[in-house]
């Protein structure tokens, strides 16, 4: 199969994303040009098939569910990204936007409202008052049921190039197994479900699919029942996948809460579309329990992001307070009534303060990208030290602290007295236009 070398280079960059600290990935990027030549050559002569490799892993989800993961080798991952670069433009032209997982711009809480699962679900519960019954139906062990034959047939419906179809099948499957956890697995599932997604347009007035979990809504219970059987038959006869019978449910959403993707949304049936208090949104008890018992600082922000889209104000406030370095406020003499309230950096312009402690966080590649400061500000009226905190991805401040800590150690860096910040295309420590030069003065 002929392949454009520029697309292979793009695939190499995509495969390296979030793996930059891996020595093998670093070596690949260092020799990107020769690596691309090797990939192109192996695709064109068909020898790539003999170089496909996977490593079996077991992943335990927070809910205790165990999944067997097939982790591709770096070379295999590059080949998979080559297929994605080739197939995604074709898929996107046909995608009706019903499947909302593992696609750029889509997600449970996407910032793009029309691509957000929760925005659509809330719109259903709060505004689509003519729809009274929901249907939730999902696929039974879909990854175990997907075969090479089914995927090949699905690809041939959107691609006329036989060589591209063959290539896609070979790099997507691990032998005869449809693997979990590879770059191609969610896209392959979208391609298999593409005909179903388009077919749904004439079945339900409201439809959302997140992976193998479908949510539809109808005006009557009879319509929901009819759709249930039509969907189950479609899955089995068209793509060879069975529906779960134990979790399939039809409910009156005027009377019962709708639970989907971990969120629980309730409708106030007495309200109309222009009213306030049309309903409210919370999360499942399991998520709330894990959030309240979270022991890792890195997870608090993720849970906070979940609860920020709900009406669980008490839980959200509790998590927010835990993020505000409440333990660190015990290290200094402060007005306990103030207990490290948040302050905006712009309100610190022109103010001298002391940095008593900080929490520096890093991304998966080990690069510092976020910081939380605990500071003390003298109260001119009472003379007390007021504790405040501010946090965010302020690149200049993060870079300075990360470099200074590496140079002298955190224990020798704190406390930092008479600190001022100023705004110069971003917040920066005063008199530190050149961060490296400023840090060198600490030597």
């Amino acid at each position: 199969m002929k392949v454009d070398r520029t697309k292979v280079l793009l695939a190499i960059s995509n495969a390296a994303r979030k793996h930059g600290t891996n020595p093998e990935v670093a070596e690949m990027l260092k020799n990107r040009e020769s690596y691309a030549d090797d990939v192109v050559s192996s695709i064109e002569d068909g020898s790539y098939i003999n170089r496909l490799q996977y490593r079996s892993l077991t992943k335990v989800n927070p809910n205790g569910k165990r999944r067997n993961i097939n982790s591709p080798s770096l070379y295999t991952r590059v080949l998979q990204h080559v297929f994605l670069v080739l197939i995604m433009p074709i898929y996107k032209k046909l995608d009706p936007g019903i499947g909302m997982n593992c696609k750029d711009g889509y997600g449970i809480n996407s910032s793009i409202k029309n691509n957000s699962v929760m925005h659509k679900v809330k719109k259903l519960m709060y505004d689509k008052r003519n729809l009274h019954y929901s249907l939730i139906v999902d696929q039974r062990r879909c990854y175990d049921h997907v075969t090479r034959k089914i995927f090949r047939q699905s690809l041939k419906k959107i691609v006329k190039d036989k060589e591209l179809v063959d290539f896609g099948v070979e790099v997507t499957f691990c032998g005869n197994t449809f693997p979990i956890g590879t770059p191609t697995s969610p896209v392959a599932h979208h391609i298999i479900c593409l005909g179903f997604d388009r077919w749904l347009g004439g079945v339900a007035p409201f439809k959302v699919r997140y992976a193998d979990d479908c949510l539809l809504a109808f005006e009557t219970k009879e319509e929901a029942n009819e759709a249930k059987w039509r969907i189950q038959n479609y899955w089995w006869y068209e793509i060879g996948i069975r529906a779960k019978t134990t979790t399939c449910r039809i409910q009156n959403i005027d009377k019962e809460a709708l639970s989907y993707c971990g969120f629980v949304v309730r409708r106030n049936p007495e309200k109309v579309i222009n009213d306030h208090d049309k309903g409210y949104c919370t999360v499942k008890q399991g998520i709330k329990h894990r959030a309240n018992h979270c022991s890792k600082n890195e997870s608090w922000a993720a849970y906070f992001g979940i609860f920020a889209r709900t009406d669980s104000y008490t839980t959200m406030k509790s998590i927010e307070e835990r993020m505000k370095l409440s333990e660190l406020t015990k290290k200094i003499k402060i007005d306990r009534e103030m207990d490290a309230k948040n302050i905006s950096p712009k309100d610190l312009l022109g103010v001298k303060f002391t940095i008593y402690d900080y929490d520096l966080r890093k991304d998966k590649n080990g690069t510092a990208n976020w910081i939380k400061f605990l500071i003390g500000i003298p109260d001119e009226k009472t003379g007390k030290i007021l504790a405040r905190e501010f946090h965010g991805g302020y690149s200049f401040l993060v870079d300075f602290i990360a470099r200074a800590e590496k140079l002298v150690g955190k224990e020798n860096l704190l406390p930092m007295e008479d600190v001022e910040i100023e705004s110069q295309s971003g917040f920066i420590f005063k008199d530190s236009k050149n961060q490296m030069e400023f840090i060198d003065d600490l030597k």
Side-chain angles (χ1 to χ4, degrees):
M1 182 183 77
K2 294 293 183 180
V3 60
D4 188 337
R5 189 173 182 275
T6 58
K7 293 183 178 180
V8 173
L9 288 169
L10 175 59
I12 289 174
S13 298
N14 293 343
R17 194 176 300 158
K18 298 183 180 180
H19 297 276
T21 57
N22 186 307
E24 187 181 8
V25 173
E27 183 66 22
M28 175 185 70
L29 294 176
K30 181 179 179 182
N31 303 289
R32 184 194 306 261
E33 298 296 328
S34 60
Y35 201 97
D37 291 335
D38 184 26
V39 173
V40 170
S41 176
S42 70
I43 293 175
E44 292 185 345
D45 63 20
S47 62
Y48 72 89
I49 295 177
N50 300 320
R51 301 173 65 175
L52 298 171
Q53 294 180 335
Y54 294 85
R55 183 163 55 100
S56 297
L57 302 172
T58 300
K59 179 181 179 180
V60 181
N61 292 344
N63 60 6
K65 185 176 182 179
R66 299 175 68 87
R67 289 182 177 271
N68 295 320
I69 307 296
N70 291 288
S71 176
S73 65
L74 177 59
Y75 199 86
T76 303
R77 190 164 74 241
V78 170
L79 291 171
Q80 292 174 340
H81 277 283
V82 171
F83 174 64
L84 294 180
V85 169
L86 297 174
I87 200 64
M88 284 306 293
I90 300 172
Y91 170 78
K92 287 179 179 179
K93 290 180 180 179
L94 302 171
D95 179 22
I98 293 174
M100 307 188 74
N101 64 295
C102 301
K103 294 191 297 189
D104 290 341
Y106 288 81
I108 293 178
N109 281 318
S110 172
S111 58
I112 304 173
K113 288 186 176 181
N114 286 336
N115 298 346
S116 166
V117 174
M118 286 318 301
H119 175 75
K120 285 184 173 291
V121 173
K122 288 179 180 179
K123 190 173 182 64
L124 163 66
M125 296 297 285
Y126 300 160
D127 297 338
K128 295 184 180 294
R129 298 279 163 165
N130 62 312
L131 303 179
H132 306 288
Y133 288 88
S134 68
L135 165 65
I136 292 182
V137 56
D138 61 346
Q139 298 169 350
R140 177 178 176 270
R141 300 175 64 181
C142 68
Y143 277 68
D144 293 339
H145 285 89
V146 173
T147 64
R148 293 168 71 98
K149 179 180 178 180
I150 291 295
F151 183 48
R152 182 181 296 277
Q153 290 175 345
S154 301
L155 268 179
K156 288 170 69 174
K157 291 178 180 178
I158 65 173
V159 178
K160 300 301 182 183
D161 187 343
K162 182 179 181 301
E163 290 184 330
L164 178 56
V165 171
D166 292 339
F167 177 70
V169 172
E170 294 297 338
V171 300
T172 298
F173 277 77
C174 176
N176 290 319
T177 302
F178 187 48
I180 299 174
T182 68
T184 51
S185 57
V187 173
H189 186 257
H190 281 310
I191 292 173
I192 290 170
C193 290
L194 178 60
F196 170 71
D197 289 346
R198 295 170 68 86
W199 173 79
L200 272 182
V203 173
F206 175 89
K207 52 269 180 183
V208 169
R209 179 178 63 81
Y210 192 81
D212 59 349
D213 200 348
C214 298
L215 167 64
L216 299 89
F218 305 86
E219 293 185 13
T220 68
K221 189 174 183 179
E222 290 73 22
E223 290 175 330
N225 264 308
E226 179 185 352
K228 178 184 73 172
W229 293 111
R230 292 180 67 188
I231 289 170
Q232 291 178 350
N233 286 333
Y234 185 103
W235 283 349
W236 178 240
Y237 290 108
E238 296 293 330
I239 56 179
I241 296 177
R242 291 190 182 277
K244 286 184 181 178
T245 56
T246 55
T247 58
C248 180
R249 62 188 184 275
I250 296 173
Q251 63 186 88
N252 186 331
I253 53 179
D254 289 330
K255 299 179 180 179
E256 302 175 69
L258 175 61
S259 176
Y260 189 66
C261 289
F263 292 84
V264 181
V265 188
R266 291 172 174 81
R267 169 188 285 180
N268 186 341
E270 298 176 356
K271 301 293 183 177
V272 296
I273 190 171
N274 293 324
D275 287 340
H276 294 288
D277 191 28
K278 293 181 289 186
Y280 64 96
C281 176
T282 58
V283 299
K284 287 185 175 181
Q285 287 298 319
I287 296 176
K288 185 177 294 187
H289 176 80
R290 292 196 297 273
N292 284 324
H293 294 81
C294 175
S295 59
K296 295 182 179 179
N297 290 345
E298 293 79 4
S299 300
W300 290 343
Y303 281 119
F304 182 78
I306 292 174
F307 284 97
R309 303 300 181 99
T310 72
D311 300 312
S312 303
Y313 299 115
T314 302
T315 304
M316 185 174 69
K317 188 175 185 302
S318 173
I319 296 173
E320 184 181 22
E321 290 300 322
R322 293 172 70 187
M323 294 174 64
K324 287 185 177 180
L325 301 176
S326 58
E327 290 299 317
L328 295 179
T329 62
K330 299 176 182 177
K331 296 183 179 181
I332 58 176
K333 295 179 180 179
I334 60 173
D335 180 352
R336 295 303 300 176
E337 293 181 358
M338 293 305 194
D339 198 19
K341 289 185 177 179
N342 181 264
I343 190 172
S344 172
K346 68 180 181 180
D347 294 329
L348 291 171
L349 298 176
V351 176
K352 288 188 177 182
F353 57 90
T354 299
I355 299 176
Y356 288 96
D357 214 329
Y358 62 84
D359 180 12
L360 189 65
R361 300 182 187 174
K362 302 178 181 179
D363 60 21
K364 292 182 179 180
N365 297 326
T367 303
N369 63 353
W370 191 89
I371 196 164
K372 187 186 303 179
F373 288 104
L374 173 69
I375 65 173
I377 305 175
D379 188 336
E380 296 180 356
K381 295 181 179 180
T382 65
K384 294 181 179 179
I385 301 296
L386 304 180
R388 295 290 184 270
E389 70 90 15
F390 68 94
H391 58 264
Y394 306 111
S395 57
F396 290 113
L397 304 183
V398 170
D399 185 53
F400 170 76
I401 293 296
R403 292 171 182 266
E405 180 182 290
K406 184 176 181 181
L407 180 68
V408 301
K410 183 175 181 179
E411 65 280 1
N412 296 318
L413 189 62
L414 298 173
M416 297 173 60
E417 300 178 338
D418 295 328
V419 176
E420 290 185 71
I421 60 175
E422 56 187 5
S423 180
Q424 295 186 9
S425 300
F427 295 108
I428 189 171
F429 287 113
K430 189 175 182 180
D431 300 325
S432 61
K433 295 180 180 179
N434 188 317
Q435 293 291 302
M436 184 64 74
E437 179 179 316
F438 189 77
I439 294 172
D440 287 341
D441 292 340
L442 296 176
K443 293 182 179 179

